[in-house]
Amino acid sequence: MSKVITIVLLLLASAPVAQDSAKDEAQVWQLEKAYWEYVKANDLEKYRVLWHESFVGWPFVSSAPVRKDHITDWIVANTSKGIKLQSYSIEQLAIQVTGDIAINHYRIKAMWDNAEGAEARTDALRMTHTWIRWHGTWEIIGGMSAPMNAEGK
């Protein structure tokens, strides 16, 4: 009988943790979507707020990992050529929240237009962001992106 009580107590104790985890996952996913909306709007100020001061990551457009002071370089490189994110589709593949850390993997297809509104290019990428809850706010502390292969994987 004591084993049954122990199991019931463990299940009851784990229910709030599962609910909190689902809430955290949804919150992080909303921030990922906001990330791309900020890129689309060319809102570099709001975009920068998403990043932790100790961020280090490796974007596919860079030959080496970068820190927070270079996170907008790729956006500025595009806009300085008159290229702007026109639209995108995003597909979440896996997210795991453990305490104050969240790792999110997803695919994105980003369509870029030139100043005349003609399609400049389409990027199909695999993305990973590692988020940390810092002073009550989720911030990106690590990440990596890579082009998808010919099969879209």
Side-chain angles (χ1 to χ4, degrees), residues 122-138:
T122 298
D123 294 328
L125 305 171
R126 295 176 287 185
M127 302 283 298
T128 297
H129 281 144
T130 301
W131 295 78
I132 186 169
R133 188 179 358 235
W134 189 253
H135 302 292
T137 303
W138 288 103

Side-chain angles (χ1 to χ4, degrees), residues 84-103:
K84 183 179 187 286
L85 180 63
Q86 180 60 35
S87 63
Y88 62 91
S89 61
I90 189 170
E91 175 190 11
Q92 187 179 32
L93 298 174
I95 187 168
Q96 177 66 48
V97 175
T98 305
D100 290 332
I101 302 294
I103 300 175

Side-chain angles (χ1 to χ4, degrees), residues 38-117:
Y38 299 152
V39 173
K40 187 175 175 186
N42 195 33
D43 191 334
L44 302 183
E45 186 176 321
K46 286 183 180 176
Y47 181 82
R48 280 188 196 98
V49 170
L50 296 172
W51 306 82
H52 190 276
E53 287 303 318
S54 297
F55 168 81
V56 65
W58 201 341
F60 85 103
V61 294
S62 178
S63 61
V66 299
R67 301 218 176 254
K68 184 174 181 175
D69 59 338
H70 289 283
I71 57 155
T72 59
D73 290 0
W74 70 279
I75 300 169
V76 173
N78 282 321
T79 57
S80 67
K81 297 176 200 166
I83 297 172
K84 183 179 187 286
L85 180 63
Q86 180 60 35
S87 63
Y88 62 91
S89 61
I90 189 170
E91 175 190 11
Q92 187 179 32
L93 298 174
I95 187 168
Q96 177 66 48
V97 175
T98 305
D100 290 332
I101 302 294
I103 300 175
N104 192 25
H105 302 279
Y106 62 97
R107 289 186 189 114
I108 184 158
K109 185 175 182 183
M111 287 67 74
W112 300 83
D113 286 355
N114 62 23
E116 292 78 40

